[in-house]
Amino acid sequence: MTTTFPEGFLWGGATAANQLEGGYNEGGKGLSIQDVMPQGLLTPPTDGPTQDNLKQEGIDFYHRYAEDIALFAEMGFKVFRFSIAWSRIFPKGNEDTPNEEGLAFYDRVLDELEKHGIEPLVTISHYETPLHLARDYNGWTSRELIGFYERYCQALFERYGQRVKYWLTFNEINSVLHFPFMSGGIPTPPEQLSQQDLYQAIHHELVASARVTRLAHQMMPGAQVGCMIIALPVYPLTPDPSDVVAAMHVAHDSYAFGDIHCRGEYPGYLLRRFREQDIELDITDQDREDLTNTVDFVSFSYYVSTCETADPVKKVEGAGNLLGGVPNPTLQASEWGWQIDPQGLRVVMNDYWERWRKPLFIVENGLGAVDELVEVDGTKTVVDDYRISYLNDHLVQAREAVADGVNLLGYTTWGCIDLVSASTAQMSKRYGFVYVDRNDDGTGTLDRYRKKSFEWYRQVIATNGAHLQ
Ligand code: BGP
């Protein structure tokens, strides 16, 4: 294999504010929905913040960002994906003016990145809707959130417009179908949330995304705005055409978000679903026009693929796969039950590229695993060969897709430094090249240690991928 990644390829890592910053009530920050999710998706939200919530302190990036960014620089990162906590900038989400202390924090983060020549990639909203907007407006079901979100984005573009080129509007926007509270700030329990209200909330998010894409282009010439979706290849469980059709229907769930972001209008298959399920959305002429502001690139997370069948007997929900689906009998799973499928990445990249013809950016990929800190030659480290092999195998497939002709801007591994898990709120589900000494019970020194994969990734970046096997 002689193909390499393109010149200027953006190698790096990805994080989210609520999972690593800590400082949940410092610097004038308001509460976000994460402050009432101490168990992630495992239990319903609590009434208020509780001390067992590991995200309150995270890995203390709020105070240790300079040290952490220096470690990323040591690996040779070209790009660092992080999110801005909406409630640091607008503590309740709907104030008229932004919180200066919050803005100043991200100035300092950007200063460090600039110092090391690392390009920022900013997620504007990553599962951290201000709690007030969730509680008092029922999250994105309310049209008013479009205006609040725009005001928030305007503040970001004004402040950081000269320094940030790459922006993502909503993390894993299609996840709202499965996790309305975490993804859409909608407190109504999923089983009580009507499809009508859910799709209206989705519509508001899509309009907001399109409106700020236009705003970004107006305010920051040269800005690149991407949507961000969970990439989930859906395979038919058998060659039975009914299974193929069943898989197609599930695939449409995710395609819809990319189709609207890239084509600027609702696809026919979704309009049909609305008709058949008596869903009548409030879509104004202005909304329709706003939606035509399409994104510059498509970013996505990739962890798993899934299967689908039309046969109700075989339709056993996958226990571990976050988004359900039928387990693939040919694949192994991670310790958390996520099925590992490197070739699925090549499949989905080809698929997205052919479908949308927009540059792609892999902004999350990685293995959540239990790590053990050991001493090797007098230095504390983690011998994480399993992580190296996971990442190697996925990157080899990404390289195959590039050889297939796919335009790929970059690759950021998820959780380049250990952080709190989104789905389970555990520390023990680790993804990083850097080990953080913190345990599920909140104990630990928060000291950082380079894992074996740290040096491996440094070499992958230094050789622009030639180090892959
Ligand atoms: C994605 C989220 C991230 C992240 C990752 C890994 O869905 O965008 O925030 O955490 O998955 O998931 P988890 O932390 O649950 O292992």
Side-chain angles (χ1 to χ4, degrees):
M1 156 66 75
T2 50
T3 323
T4 61
F5 288 90
E7 212 179 304
F9 189 72
L10 291 168
W11 295 97
T15 61
N18 71 87
Q19 295 173 254
L20 93 165
E21 284 181 2
Y24 84 105
N25 59 0
E26 289 182 57
K29 182 180 171 296
L31 296 178
S32 87
I33 52 166
Q34 289 293 339
D35 293 309
V36 296
M37 298 180 70
Q39 305 300 320
L41 296 166
L42 301 180
T43 55
T46 51
D47 289 338
T50 51
Q51 288 200 333
D52 59 343
N53 191 339
L54 289 180
K55 285 165 278 183
Q56 289 190 352
E57 196 184 357
I59 58 158
D60 195 32
F61 180 83
Y62 188 67
H63 299 108
R64 297 170 196 239
Y65 59 92
E67 179 194 339
D68 293 340
I69 290 169
L71 286 164
F72 303 152
E74 197 180 317
M75 277 185 276
F77 277 24
K78 313 285 182 219
V79 64
F80 175 51
R81 174 180 176 227
F82 63 99
S83 73
I84 292 182
W86 187 344
S87 59
R88 273 198 199 289
I89 311 300
F90 288 94
K92 291 171 77 179
N94 60 349
E95 292 88 342
D96 290 329
T97 50
N99 167 34
E100 173 55 34
E101 257 191 285
L103 286 169
F105 169 64
Y106 297 104
D107 273 335
R108 296 197 292 278
V109 170
L110 291 170
D111 288 344
E112 284 309 309
L113 292 173
E114 259 167 43
K115 201 162 101 187
H116 294 288
I118 300 175
E119 182 93 43
L121 167 59
V122 171
T123 316
I124 296 169
S125 178
H126 191 130
Y127 295 160
E128 46 215 350
T129 307
L131 188 59
H132 174 67
L133 299 187
R135 293 262 164 91
D136 285 37
Y137 293 84
N138 209 19
W140 280 96
T141 61
S142 163
R143 185 174 273 277
E144 283 186 88
L145 261 77
I146 300 175
F148 301 147
Y149 180 81
E150 270 187 288
R151 196 183 303 162
Y152 165 48
C153 290
Q154 179 155 3
L156 301 187
F157 298 164
E158 265 165 21
R159 182 73 165 226
Y160 311 123
Q162 301 292 322
R163 319 179 74 183
V164 178
K165 177 177 170 190
Y166 295 100
W167 300 88
L168 307 179
T169 51
F170 291 97
N171 180 62
E172 295 187 333
I173 187 166
N174 48 333
S175 63
V176 70
L177 292 171
H178 305 269
F179 317 116
F181 185 62
M182 184 165 81
S183 183
I186 305 167
T188 310
E191 60 285 1
Q192 287 166 29
L193 183 63
S194 67
Q195 289 290 298
Q196 167 81 34
D197 287 350
L198 178 58
Y199 274 98
Q200 189 65 49
I202 290 169
H203 176 69
H204 295 149
E205 285 196 64
L206 290 165
V207 169
S209 182
R211 286 180 68 93
V212 304
T213 300
R214 177 176 53 210
L215 187 68
H217 291 149
Q218 284 165 353
M219 291 178 66
M220 305 176 290
Q224 293 286 299
V225 184
C227 56
M228 187 333 195
I229 50 186
I230 303 178
L232 185 76
V234 188
Y235 307 136
L237 188 63
T238 73
D240 181 337
S242 301
D243 280 2
V244 177
V245 172
M248 180 186 81
H249 285 311
V250 176
H252 278 163
D253 283 346
S254 294
Y255 280 147
F257 293 82
D259 285 350
I260 297 166
H261 270 110
C262 294
R263 297 179 179 153
E265 60 182 11
Y266 276 81
Y269 57 82
L270 190 54
L271 296 174
R272 173 181 181 168
R273 194 180 300 177
F274 292 166
R275 280 195 307 274
E276 291 181 352
Q277 296 185 12
D278 291 325
I279 296 172
E280 277 187 45
L281 297 189
D282 168 28
I283 302 179
T284 66
D285 288 344
Q286 183 65 49
D287 290 348
R288 274 183 242 280
E289 195 190 311
D290 290 341
L291 286 177
T292 63
N293 293 282
T294 54
V295 288
D296 302 304
F297 66 99
V298 173
S299 80
F300 61 89
S301 61
Y302 177 75
Y303 296 94
V304 297
S305 60
T306 186
C307 292
E308 197 51 51
T309 174
D311 181 344
V313 182
K314 293 194 198 136
K315 203 172 156 58
V316 204
E317 289 288 299
N321 275 355
L322 203 56
L323 304 180
V326 182
N328 185 327
T330 70
L331 298 177
Q332 303 291 315
S334 79
E335 288 164 278
W336 273 264
W338 293 18
Q339 289 202 304
I340 300 170
D341 179 12
Q343 290 180 96
L345 178 57
R346 178 181 179 185
V347 170
V348 90
M349 286 173 69
N350 271 277
D351 189 23
Y352 284 3
W353 170 247
E354 295 302 336
R355 191 175 182 97
W356 297 315
R357 288 275 153 182
K358 303 260 188 195
L360 304 182
F361 204 140
I362 304 168
V363 295
E364 283 187 34
N365 174 234
L367 178 70
V370 173
D371 285 340
E372 194 196 343
L373 195 62
V374 294
E375 211 163 290
V376 176
D377 300 332
T379 305
K380 282 191 182 168
T381 186
V382 175
V383 186
D384 55 345
D385 291 309
Y386 38 91
R387 181 168 294 109
I388 292 172
S389 111
Y390 178 102
L391 294 172
N392 178 82
D393 294 354
H394 283 78
L395 276 166
V396 164
Q397 293 302 323
R399 189 170 63 180
E400 291 285 343
V402 171
D404 293 333
V406 173
N407 181 351
L408 182 64
L409 297 173
Y411 174 87
T412 58
T413 64
W414 173 251
C416 44
I417 181 166
D418 291 347
L419 37 65
V420 184
S421 146
S423 57
T424 63
Q426 293 168 300
M427 251 332 281
S428 54
K429 192 178 186 192
R430 297 172 182 275
Y431 288 85
F433 302 114
V434 176
Y435 182 91
V436 178
D437 180 12
R438 192 163 194 228
N439 307 308
D440 286 344
D441 62 5
T443 58
T445 60
L446 288 169
D447 287 346
R448 276 65 168 151
Y449 300 95
R450 294 166 186 78
K451 302 181 193 176
K452 186 176 177 184
S453 55
F454 184 100
E455 173 57 19
W456 171 82
Y457 198 43
R458 194 191 66 71
Q459 289 188 38
V460 170
I461 297 175
T463 59
N464 201 28
H467 186 63
L468 299 168
Q469 292 180 342

